[in-house]
Amino acid sequence: MLSIKNLQAQIEDKQILKGLNLEVKPGEIHAIMGPNGAGKSTLASVLSGREEYEVTGGSVEFDGKDILELDPHERAGEGLFLAFQYPVEIPGVSTTNFMKAAVNEVRKYRGQEELTAVDFLKMMKEKMKTVDMPQDLINRSLNEGFSGGEKKRNEIFQMAMLEPKLCVLDETDSGLDIDALRIVANGVNQYKSKDNAFIVITHYQRLLDYIVPDFVHVLHDGKIVKSGTKELALELEEKGYDWIKEEVAQ
Amino acid sequence: MNGEASSPVNGIRQEAFKAFEGMEFPTIKHEEWKFTNVQKLVKNHYSFSQETKLSADEVSNAFIEGIEGDRIVFINGIFSEEHSSISASGLTVKSLAQAFKENKDVVEAHFGQESNLEESTFAKANTALSKDGIFIHVPKGKAIEKPISLYFLSDAKNEAIATTPRNLIVAEENSQVTVIEVFKTIGENQSLANNVTEISVANHAIVDYYKVQNEASQASIIDCTKVIQGKESHFTGTTISLKGDIIRNNLDITLDGEHLDSYMHGLYLLDGTTHVDNHTAVDHKYPNCHSNELYKGIVDDKSRGVFNGKIFVRQDAQKTNAFQNNRNIVLSDDAKVNTKPQLEIWADDVSCSHGCTIGQMDEEALFYLQARGISKTRSKAMLMNAFAGEVVEKIKVEGLRTYIETLIEERLHA
C-alpha cells in the first residue's frame, strides 16, 4: 500500500530525513518511535504534503501512485489521512460545514456521488458514536476552545468520516489523559480493518498498549535504524533511546 | 431645496455656499485625509445633479432582490417618484425638498443641527449644493416592521456625474426603523456622490442603518453620516464596502443621553484598486452608555483599506463601556491597510478596549483544511468567509444578509 524508498527531505536547508525506507501493507499497524528531533513529525509532514518541506531524494508510492507529485487535498482524496499533533482552531467555520465540505470533496475525488444532507447527517451521527463525540462540539467552530482531548477525538472522528486507506497518527497521544487516550484508541480500533493501515508516530510506549502494532520502528537521525515487534517498544520504554544511538554509532 | 428665504434652514445653506466659494478640499497633508487622496476626484469635471430618465429595467437591476419593504429611488440625486414605492403607513417618507415645504417644524428642528457638521469641506459643499435627498420621519411609538431601502442611482452613461444627496432621518421617541442605503452607478463614466445623512434617534428609539457599497469601479463616494442618540436608544450602523474607486465613510455618533447602546459594524472586502477609508467617531457624553465597534477587512490586488476609530469619553461619562476592534487580512504584496485607533478619555471610571490587527492568511489553518481533501482555492474561500462572517452574521435583514453572502461567495471564488 505504501512504499517509501530512500526518502530524503529538508526544511530551510536543514536535512532531516536522510534515507528512510518503509513498507506498509493493508491490515498492518506500524509504530514509529524515536527521540525528539529524529524526524518523526517531518515524516508525517512530508507524507501529507506540507509545502515548507522539500523532498531532496527518494520516492513515496501509495497504491502505486507517486504521491509526492500530488497536492495535499489530492493525497486526502487518494485515501491518506493525517491526524495532526496540534489540530488547528478555525473560528467561524462550523465543524459540521467543514466536515460536509471535506466528505463531499473527497467523494468527488473518488468518483462517488456527493451525500445528501440526510445521508450526511446519518453518517455523522454514526461516526460520532465511535469516539463519544458530543453534539455540542460538532455545533461549535472547528476545534475552537476544545480541550486537548476533544481536539484529538475530533481528529479520529474526521478520520472515520473520510474513510481513508492509510492513517498517519502524529503523536496523537501527546497531552492526553488515560480516559481520552482510551477513547481515541477505541475509535482507531473500531475503524481498523484488513483493508486499511496505520502509521502510529509516538514518543511513548503507552499508546501502544491500546493500539497494538504489528511492527515497531525506531527512527534516529532521519533513518529507521531498528525494526521489531511490539516487544521493541517495551524495551525502549524501559531502556530509553541511548542504547539505540550507541548501537548505531558502532 | 426650496426653503423660505427667511427660514433658518435657508440661512444655514446661504452661509455654506459663501464658505464653499473659497473652499479648499483636503490634501493628504491634512491629518484626517492622510491616506486618502481626493484631489483627483475634486478636480474632475462633473455634471452636477443632472436630471435624467432611467428605464424600469435599469432601475430594477440595481435593486437587491429578496428585501421586503418600500424602495425609494433617487436618480442623479433627484427623487424619482415614478420608480419609488411608498406604502408604509404611519410614517412620513418623502423627498427632503418636499419636506422643507410640508414638514417645516420637524426639518428645522433636526436639519444641520448636529455639532461640527460644517467642519468638513465636503459636508459644507453638500449643504451648499444639495438639491434633494430623503426625509424619513417615524412618529413617537411607531415601529416600522419592514426595512426602507434607499437607492441612489447615478446615470453616468453620457457624462461624469456628481450628486449631493442630503438625507434626514428622524426616529421619534420609542419608535423603530431599519434603513438600507445603496449607491449604484449606471454607465461607464465617473461618478462622485457627496452624501450627507443626519440621523436623530430619540429616547428609547431603535434605528438600524445599513450602507451597501458595491459600486462601479469608477464610482466614488464621500459619505458623512451624523447620528445623535437620546437616552436608552439603540443605534446600529453597518457599512459593507465591496467595490468602488475611492470610498470615504465618516460615521460620527453622539451619545446624548444615558443607558444607550451604539454599534458600528463594518466589512470591507476589496480588490483591484478600490480604496475604502472608514473614519468613525463615537462621543460618550453621558454616563452608563455602551458602544461597540467591529470593522473587518480583507484587501487583495492593489486595494487599500483605511480605518480610523475615535472614541471620546467625556469627564461626565462615568461607567462607560466602549469597545473597538479592527482586524485585517492582507492577501497581496501590493495591497495595504492603515489602521489607527484614537481614544481620548477624560472620565476615570470606564471600561474601554481597542485592538487592531493586520495579518496574512493563517497558513496552518489553510493546510489543515487542505489535508482534509478541500482544495486550496476552496479552503481559502472558507477561511475568508469565516473571517467576514463575524460581521455578516450581525446583519438582521435576512434578504440583505443573503445578498451580501452571495457577493462574498462570488468574490472569493473568482
Side-chain angles (χ1 to χ4, degrees):
Chain A
M1 175 185 279
L2 182 76
S3 170
I4 303 178
K5 291 203 172 87
N6 192 28
L7 184 62
Q8 296 157 51
Q10 64 180 31
I11 181 163
E12 288 164 357
D13 292 335
K14 189 169 187 267
Q15 198 70 33
I16 311 280
L17 298 184
K18 299 173 179 172
L20 188 144
N21 297 293
L22 183 67
E23 294 285 333
V24 179
K25 294 191 181 67
E28 294 178 347
I29 296 180
H30 291 248
I32 295 188
M33 302 183 72
N36 289 326
K40 300 192 299 289
S41 281
T42 298
L43 175 62
S45 297
V46 169
L47 289 179
S48 58
R50 263 188 205 276
E51 269 174 24
E52 53 273 38
Y53 291 86
E54 192 192 342
V55 174
T56 51
S59 66
V60 179
E61 277 189 9
F62 183 52
D63 276 348
K65 260 189 199 166
D66 176 7
I67 61 158
L68 297 177
E69 290 298 312
L70 301 179
D71 286 337
H73 76 277
E74 294 170 325
R75 298 183 194 198
E78 291 290 339
L80 183 75
F81 181 89
L82 169 68
F84 281 59
Q85 184 178 2
Y86 304 110
V88 187
E89 297 194 16
I90 309 186
V93 174
S94 83
T95 306
T96 310
N97 285 346
F98 153 72
M99 213 59 257
K100 199 170 178 180
V103 166
N104 280 331
E105 290 277 315
V106 161
R107 289 182 71 89
K108 251 194 291 181
Y109 187 90
R110 294 172 189 166
Q112 296 164 310
E113 265 186 49
E114 289 189 29
L115 289 181
T116 63
V118 175
D119 287 345
F120 172 76
L121 286 176
K122 217 171 110 190
M123 183 184 184
M124 276 234 306
K125 285 262 180 296
E126 215 172 276
K127 306 288 185 185
M128 277 161 69
K129 276 188 218 144
T130 64
V131 282
D132 287 342
M133 195 72 183
Q135 185 64 41
D136 73 297
L137 284 189
I138 297 286
N139 294 345
R140 273 154 61 180
S141 284
L142 189 53
N143 290 326
E144 196 184 28
F146 284 27
S147 71
E150 288 167 343
K151 282 180 184 167
K152 297 297 169 77
R153 256 146 79 178
N154 196 7
E155 293 295 288
I156 303 305
F157 164 68
Q158 292 172 30
M159 177 193 83
M161 289 293 289
L162 294 173
E163 301 177 331
K165 286 187 259 183
L166 176 68
C167 309
V168 180
L169 311 185
D170 187 8
E171 305 213 15
T172 295
D173 51 336
S174 69
L176 287 193
D177 63 32
I178 191 72
D179 292 332
L181 189 69
R182 229 179 251 136
I183 292 171
V184 163
N186 190 27
V188 169
N189 289 329
Q190 282 184 57
Y191 182 65
K192 190 179 81 176
S193 78
K194 62 177 181 16
D195 301 316
N196 57 38
F198 285 83
I199 296 176
V200 181
I201 295 172
T202 181
H203 190 73
Y204 301 105
Q205 185 272 336
R206 199 180 55 162
L207 175 68
L208 307 180
D209 287 341
Y210 299 93
I211 303 172
V212 182
D214 300 297
F215 303 96
V216 173
H217 310 278
V218 181
L219 189 61
H220 171 62
D221 195 23
K223 281 184 205 166
I224 287 174
V225 293
K226 198 172 181 66
S227 297
T229 55
K230 62 183 182 199
E231 283 71 28
L232 177 58
L234 291 168
E235 202 178 347
L236 289 166
E237 183 76 3
E238 195 184 321
K239 300 203 281 191
Y241 289 103
D242 287 348
W243 64 280
I244 299 267
K245 291 179 193 169
E246 281 160 25
E247 228 180 67
V248 173
Q250 280 163 15
Chain B
M1 274 167 276
N2 203 6
E4 298 292 321
S6 59
S7 76
V9 167
N10 200 280
I12 290 168
R13 293 191 61 222
Q14 289 211 335
E15 233 171 78
F17 193 77
K18 243 182 266 163
F20 180 73
E21 284 183 311
M23 202 168 274
E24 274 182 32
F25 288 94
T27 67
I28 52 169
K29 284 179 189 153
H30 192 297
E31 184 60 29
E32 295 298 316
W33 294 86
K34 212 159 127 183
F35 302 114
T36 299
N37 192 344
V38 290
Q39 290 302 315
K40 74 162 187 182
L41 292 185
V42 295
K43 285 184 179 138
N44 199 18
H45 293 285
Y46 302 96
S47 177
F48 270 82
S49 301
Q50 192 65 34
E51 276 199 62
T52 175
K53 283 212 180 298
L54 287 176
S55 72
D57 278 353
E58 284 174 312
V59 173
S60 62
N61 280 342
F63 290 159
I64 299 172
E65 280 176 46
I67 296 180
E68 294 181 300
D70 287 340
R71 292 178 176 134
I72 317 297
V73 177
F74 286 80
I75 300 172
N76 288 353
I78 298 159
F79 176 61
S80 163
E81 200 170 353
E82 182 192 345
H83 296 294
S84 299
S85 64
I86 302 174
S87 62
S89 63
L91 82 165
T92 310
V93 180
K94 59 172 75 164
S95 100
L96 187 59
Q98 214 181 335
F100 263 107
K101 296 177 200 155
E102 299 165 8
N103 305 71
K104 214 167 146 231
D105 290 351
V106 182
V107 172
E108 280 178 5
H110 297 281
F111 184 86
Q113 294 305 305
E114 295 182 20
S115 62
N116 73 5
L117 176 62
E118 303 302 325
E119 276 173 22
S120 142
T121 319
F122 282 102
K124 265 188 218 166
N126 177 284
T127 304
L129 296 169
S130 182
K131 287 196 175 129
D132 210 348
I134 191 72
F135 172 67
I136 298 174
H137 183 234
V138 191
K140 190 174 167 181
K142 179 83 192 169
I144 309 303
E145 281 178 29
K146 289 176 182 168
I148 299 169
S149 302
L150 311 176
Y151 290 93
F152 294 96
L153 309 181
S154 290
D155 178 3
K157 291 199 294 287
N158 302 316
E159 56 189 335
I161 289 291
T163 60
T164 52
R166 179 58 172 260
N167 311 301
L168 181 60
I169 293 156
V170 179
E172 300 283 11
E173 199 175 324
N174 198 30
S175 66
Q176 184 175 355
V177 68
T178 298
V179 179
I180 299 165
E181 170 202 288
V182 181
F183 279 86
K184 197 82 202 166
T185 296
I186 295 156
E188 301 297 312
N189 290 295
Q190 283 188 302
S191 76
L192 171 64
N194 177 22
N195 185 51
V196 172
T197 302
E198 291 177 273
I199 303 171
S200 170
V201 189
N203 298 348
H204 300 273
I206 302 172
V207 174
D208 282 355
Y209 201 92
Y210 296 94
K211 292 172 186 291
V212 181
Q213 301 170 331
N214 186 31
E215 258 288 15
S217 58
Q218 77 286 5
S220 293
I221 302 170
I222 308 288
D223 180 76
C224 175
T225 298
K226 295 266 181 190
V227 183
I228 186 158
Q229 280 187 255
K231 70 172 185 197
E232 291 175 49
S233 64
H234 290 254
F235 175 78
T236 306
T238 305
T239 306
I240 310 285
S241 311
L242 299 172
K243 193 138 199 90
D245 181 4
I246 293 175
I247 296 176
R248 163 69 174 242
N249 295 307
N250 299 288
L251 174 62
D252 293 354
I253 307 182
T254 304
L255 309 187
D256 203 26
E258 283 195 57
H259 294 288
L260 57 78
D261 289 294
S262 203
Y263 294 92
M264 287 161 279
H265 303 146
L267 175 68
Y268 39 100
L269 197 60
L270 313 178
D271 62 3
T273 56
T274 297
H275 180 116
V276 171
D277 178 344
N278 281 296
H279 266 62
T280 67
V282 55
D283 187 358
H284 284 262
K285 292 170 80 172
Y286 289 88
N288 299 308
C289 291
H290 166 232
S291 70
N292 203 331
E293 176 167 31
L294 174 67
Y295 271 66
K296 295 182 98 172
I298 302 174
V299 294
D300 201 355
D301 300 336
K302 292 180 171 175
S303 65
R304 188 166 197 180
V306 179
F307 174 83
N308 179 295
K310 295 184 180 68
I311 299 175
F312 303 107
V313 182
R314 307 288 182 101
Q315 203 162 4
D316 291 338
Q318 301 294 358
K319 305 279 180 198
T320 286
N321 281 304
F323 306 105
Q324 182 189 88
N325 201 345
N326 174 234
R327 286 159 66 194
N328 299 280
I329 294 180
V330 179
L331 292 180
S332 78
D333 290 344
D334 295 323
K336 268 188 204 151
V337 167
N338 303 95
T339 174
K340 185 182 177 191
Q342 236 176 301
L343 277 65
E344 292 180 30
I345 300 166
W346 293 284
D348 48 25
D349 183 13
V350 300
S351 167
C352 286
S353 75
H354 70 89
C356 51
T357 57
I358 303 173
Q360 274 89 40
M361 177 85 83
D362 181 347
E363 292 292 334
E364 269 303 300
L366 192 59
F367 180 71
Y368 190 74
L369 298 180
Q370 288 173 264
R372 296 294 176 257
I374 304 168
S375 70
K376 193 169 188 175
T377 317
R378 179 140 186 228
S379 297
K380 269 188 183 174
M382 279 177 81
L383 292 178
M384 298 290 102
N385 241 328
F387 180 82
E390 199 187 348
V391 175
V392 176
E393 70 189 15
K394 295 183 196 297
I395 299 175
K396 286 179 233 161
V397 180
E398 202 191 326
L400 179 61
R401 195 173 58 242
T402 310
Y403 170 77
I404 299 295
E405 279 167 353
T406 311
L407 288 179
I408 292 173
E409 199 72 27
E410 279 169 14
R411 172 71 60 85
L412 295 175
H413 281 100

